[in-house]
Structure formats: C-alpha cells, structure tokens
Amino acid sequence: LRNDGDRPIMITTFKLLKCVNLRQVCQTYTPEVIVPPGETVQLITLQPISQGARYSFRYEYQWKTMQ
C-alpha cells in the first residue's frame, strides 16, 4: 500500500474477501503497520494453493492518520 499524503498513516485493518484458490486465510488482519509519507509497504504476500490454477480475491483496508 502507498501513502501519497504528507503525514504518516497506520493501516489498522486489512480484509481479504472472496478468496478462491488462495493459501492465505480469507479474514480480517490487524497489521498496525505505519506507512511514512511517500512510501510503499507490503502487508502480505499472497500465494495460490494450486500453482497451475487461477486464483482471485478482493481486499479492503482501513487506515488512520498518525501525528
């Protein structure tokens, strides 16, 4: 996720939704990762269960501005 703002943000929740052939659990995660202004962070690495098959998912996240 990228923070294009001018203040740090904290990713408070990250939800994986509608997971198909995904090794990671389709659930809500609470990473509480701080993303500095202008920076990008990787929250999770997703992998398929079956390498030869297609996989899909949706995601949502919430964040708050840090002081």
Side-chain angles (χ1 to χ4, degrees), residues 36-63:
E39 297 289 324
T40 301
V41 299
Q42 182 175 329
L43 292 178
I44 191 169
T45 300
L46 302 176
Q47 299 173 323
I49 294 171
S50 175
Q51 294 293 330
R54 293 168 36 165
Y55 66 97
S56 63
F57 62 93
R58 293 184 55 139
Y59 70 92
E60 297 175 357
Y61 63 93
Q62 295 180 333
W63 57 275

Side-chain angles (χ1 to χ4, degrees), residues 4-51:
D4 287 324
D6 59 355
R7 293 179 21 191
I9 61 171
M10 176 185 284
I11 308 302
T12 55
T13 60
F14 180 83
K15 295 180 185 181
L16 282 177
L17 309 162
K18 299 184 179 181
C19 302
V20 176
N21 188 34
L22 200 63
R23 187 174 307 279
Q24 288 68 28
V25 178
C26 202
Q27 67 180 19
T28 300
Y29 297 87
T30 53
E32 296 188 351
V33 171
I34 296 175
V35 186
E39 297 289 324
T40 301
V41 299
Q42 182 175 329
L43 292 178
I44 191 169
T45 300
L46 302 176
Q47 299 173 323
I49 294 171
S50 175
Q51 294 293 330

